[in-house]
DNA sequence: ATCAGTTCTTAAGATATCTTAATAACAAAT
DNA sequence: ATTTGTTATTAAGATATCTTAAGAACTGAT
C-alpha cells in the first residue's frame, strides 16, 4: 500500500488525478493548499506528493522547500502550460519531476510509478538521471561529481548548487539576488557580494582564465548565466 | 522461451490475456482454478503466474500461499475493480504485483515483462541473487554476510543496512538525513550524528585506516558514498 | 537480574567552507 | 572626463561540518 498526496486548489483536478490513480495499491490523501499539504506530510507516512505550483495560502514552491527540510519523499510538481515558465524554472530544484497540465493520464501513472519505484527500492535504475552536460562540464547529481574535460574537480556545496542551478537553465540569466534566494532559501540580504565570491571560486575551478570566463558569463546589471555552448 | 501460467475461471479473461501476451518468446499455460494452477506449477517449470483472486475450488490467495511454500516464481494477482480491495490487500503479501480489471493491455505486458526480468536476473536458480561486490567487499543479502578480502566481518544490523544502501548505489552520495530516512524509516530528527557514528563503526571494520578511508568517502557538506571502484 | 552487544547521545577538536568588509576594476550614463 | 552603480578580488574571522571518543540507554539472551 502506497500513500499518495495530491495537492491542488482546484477540486476538479484533484478528482481527475484520483481517478487516474485509482489502484488498490494506492491510498490517496488530498490537500487544497501548501499549508494543508505540509500538515499531512508531517503526520502521515506519505510516499509521493503530486502538487500544483499555483495555490492560495501557500504556493507549491514554498511547500516543496518546507517539505524538503526534513523529508526526501518524491515530489512531482504540476504546472499549467503557460504558467510563468521562466519564474518557475530554477525554483523547482528540489522537485523530482514535473507534469504540465493538461495531463495525459498514462503519463501521470507512468511517472507516479517511476517515482515510487525509485523511492521504495533504493536503486534508481536510471543511471543517467540528473546528469547535465554543457561542453566540457559534466555534472552528475547522484554522485555530486563534476567533471571538467573528463577530470573530476572538487566543488564546495554552495559552488555545486550554483553551478547546478546555472547548468539546469543554460542561457538563462540569474541575478545575484535570485541565485541567493534560490540556493540559500532566504531573503537576499547582503547577497550580491556573497554570490560574487562564490562565482569567483567557481570560475577559478572551471575556467582556464577566470578573468576571461568561457562558461560563467556576467551580463552587466542583470546577473550571471552559463553559456549553452562555448564556441571555440 | 518463458513459461507463463494464466489462472482465471472466466475463459474470456484467459483468452484476452493470451492475446495480450502473444509473443514467440512466451509459452502460455492455462488453469481455471487454484487447484489446477498448483498442479501445473508443480509439474512445469513456470516462470510467471498471472492469477485471479476470485475462483471456485481454490481461490487465488490460497493458491498463492501454497505455491509460495516451495517456489519464488513471480505471481501477479488479478483483482476486479470493486473487489473488496482493502480486505484483499492484506492477504496478498506474497504477491509480486497486481493488476486490476479491466486490464489495460499495455499495462499487462509491461508488468509481465518487468516481473520476468526481475525473476531471471535475480531469481531462484541464480546463485548470485542479492550479492553485491565492490572491490574487496562482498555483501550477500541472502545470508547477510559481508566478506572483506574473503574474510567474514561481523556487522550490526544498522551497519549492514547502511553498507547495503551504499553498495546498492555505488558512487551515489547520500546525505546523513537521507540515510536516516531510508534506514530508520522515520523523520531525520537529530540524525546527522547518529549516522556519523555508524559510518565510523563501519569504517573501523572495513577500512585499513579509518582516518583515510578507501571505500566509504565523505563529500563535504553533501554526504557519504562508497566508491565504485578503489584504485590502488 | 545480569550480561553482552547494539544503538544513541554528547561534546571536543580538526578541518573545510562561508561570509564579510575593504578595496580595486570595470561599465554605462551624463 | 566624471560620476554612479555594478562586479571582481582578497584575506581574515565566523560558521558549519566531520571525526572521534567516551559513556549512557536500550535490547535481547541467559
Amino acid at each position: 500500500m502506497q500513500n499518495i498526496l495530491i495537492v491542488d486548489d482546484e477540486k476538479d483536478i484533484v478528482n481527475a488525478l484520483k481517478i487516474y490513480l485509482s489502484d488498490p495499491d494506492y491510498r490517496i490523501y488530498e490537500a487544497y493548499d501548501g499549508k494543508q499539504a505540509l500538515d499531512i506530510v508531517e503526520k502521515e507516512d506519505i510516499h509521493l506528493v503530486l502538487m500544483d505550483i499555483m495555490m492560495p495560502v501557500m504556493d507549491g514552491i514554498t511547500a516543496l522547500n518546507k517539505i524538503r527540510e526534513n523529508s526526501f519523499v518524491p515530489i512531482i510538481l504540476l504546472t499549467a502550460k503557460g504558467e510563468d515558465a521562466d519564474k518557475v524554472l530554477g525554483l523547482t530544484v528540489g522537485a523530482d519531476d514535473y507534469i504540465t497540465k493538461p495531463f495525459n493520464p498514462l503519463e501521470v501513472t507512468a511517472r507516479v510509478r517511476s517515482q515510487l519505484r525509485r523511492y521504495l527500492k533504493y536503486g534508481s535504475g536510471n543511471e543517467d538521471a540528473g546528469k547535465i552536460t554543457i561542453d566540457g562540464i559534466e555534472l552528475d547529481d547522484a554522485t555530486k561529481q563534476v567533471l571538467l574535460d573528463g577530470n573530476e574537480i572538487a566543488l564546495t556545496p554552495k559552488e555545486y548548487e550554483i553551478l547546478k542551478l546555472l547548468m539546469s537553465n543554460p542561457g538563462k540569466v540569474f541575478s545575484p539576488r535570485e541565485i541567493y534566494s534560490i540556493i540559500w532559501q532566504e531573503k537576499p540580504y547582503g547577497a550580491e557580494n556573497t554570490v560574487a565570491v562564490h562565482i569567483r571560486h567557481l570560475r577559478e575551478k572551471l575556467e582556464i582564465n577566470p578573468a576571461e570566463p568561457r562558461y560563467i558569463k556576467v551580463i552587466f546589471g542583470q546577473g550571471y548565466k552559463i553559456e549553452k555552448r562555448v564556441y571555440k
Side-chain angles (χ1 to χ4, degrees), chain A residues 8-40:
Chain A
D8 200 312
D9 56 319
E10 288 174 69
K11 189 107 183 56
D12 289 349
I13 301 273
V14 174
N15 284 331
L17 287 170
K18 273 170 76 175
I19 290 164
Y20 299 163
L21 296 173
S22 60
D23 182 312
D25 241 7
Y26 299 155
R27 173 182 295 136
I28 306 292
Y29 292 79
E30 303 171 30
Y32 301 98
D33 63 63
K35 189 83 191 56
Q36 288 176 29
L38 215 53
D39 288 346
I40 293 174

Side-chain angles (χ1 to χ4, degrees), chain A residues 8-77:
Chain A
D8 200 312
D9 56 319
E10 288 174 69
K11 189 107 183 56
D12 289 349
I13 301 273
V14 174
N15 284 331
L17 287 170
K18 273 170 76 175
I19 290 164
Y20 299 163
L21 296 173
S22 60
D23 182 312
D25 241 7
Y26 299 155
R27 173 182 295 136
I28 306 292
Y29 292 79
E30 303 171 30
Y32 301 98
D33 63 63
K35 189 83 191 56
Q36 288 176 29
L38 215 53
D39 288 346
I40 293 174
V41 168
E42 290 285 315
K43 288 202 193 74
E44 308 293 334
D45 181 26
I46 299 294
H47 302 123
L48 178 93
V49 178
L50 270 164
M51 182 159 58
D52 190 24
I53 288 185
M54 300 299 277
M55 289 183 300
V57 186
M58 182 191 286
D59 68 282
I61 304 289
T62 309
L64 166 72
N65 290 319
K66 290 267 185 198
I67 291 172
R68 274 285 169 274
E69 281 174 15
N70 50 17
S71 169
F72 299 93
V73 60
I75 299 176
I76 300 178
L77 287 180

Side-chain angles (χ1 to χ4, degrees), chain A residues 133-136 170-171 214-215 217 225-232:
Chain A
T133 302
I134 287 177
D135 273 323
R214 295 178 308 155
Y215 291 116
K217 293 281 174 69
K225 71 167 177 180
I226 198 157
E227 294 288 355
K228 278 186 184 169
R229 191 185 295 268
V230 173
Y231 303 97
K232 293 174 187 174

Side-chain angles (χ1 to χ4, degrees), chain A residues 62-184:
Chain A
T62 309
L64 166 72
N65 290 319
K66 290 267 185 198
I67 291 172
R68 274 285 169 274
E69 281 174 15
N70 50 17
S71 169
F72 299 93
V73 60
I75 299 176
I76 300 178
L77 287 180
L78 310 174
T79 68
K81 192 71 171 267
E83 189 165 86
D84 227 345
D86 281 332
K87 206 171 176 187
V88 160
L89 264 173
L91 298 176
T92 57
V93 172
D96 297 275
D97 199 353
Y98 26 132
I99 303 177
T100 45
K101 302 178 189 177
F103 315 124
N104 169 350
L106 280 176
E107 190 187 355
V108 172
T109 54
R111 297 203 177 197
V112 164
R113 257 208 302 279
S114 149
Q115 287 300 326
L116 281 172
R117 199 165 41 234
R118 190 179 63 77
Y119 181 61
L120 296 175
K121 318 187 313 173
Y122 23 81
S124 81
N126 183 2
E127 265 285 304
D128 289 344
K131 271 193 190 168
I132 315 170
T133 302
I134 287 177
D135 273 323
I137 309 177
E138 215 181 317
L139 181 147
D140 184 339
D141 198 42
T143 66
K144 309 289 177 198
Q145 277 181 323
V146 176
L147 302 183
L148 178 63
D149 299 326
N151 307 309
E152 182 171 357
I153 56 174
L155 298 185
T156 71
K158 288 283 189 286
E159 288 160 14
Y160 177 86
E161 287 190 74
I162 291 172
L163 180 63
K164 182 177 153 196
L165 174 64
L166 296 179
M167 286 182 71
S168 302
N169 304 278
K172 175 161 162 49
V173 176
F174 291 90
S175 75
R177 299 162 64 81
E178 213 172 339
I179 292 173
Y180 194 89
S181 301
I182 295 169
I183 308 287
W184 275 257

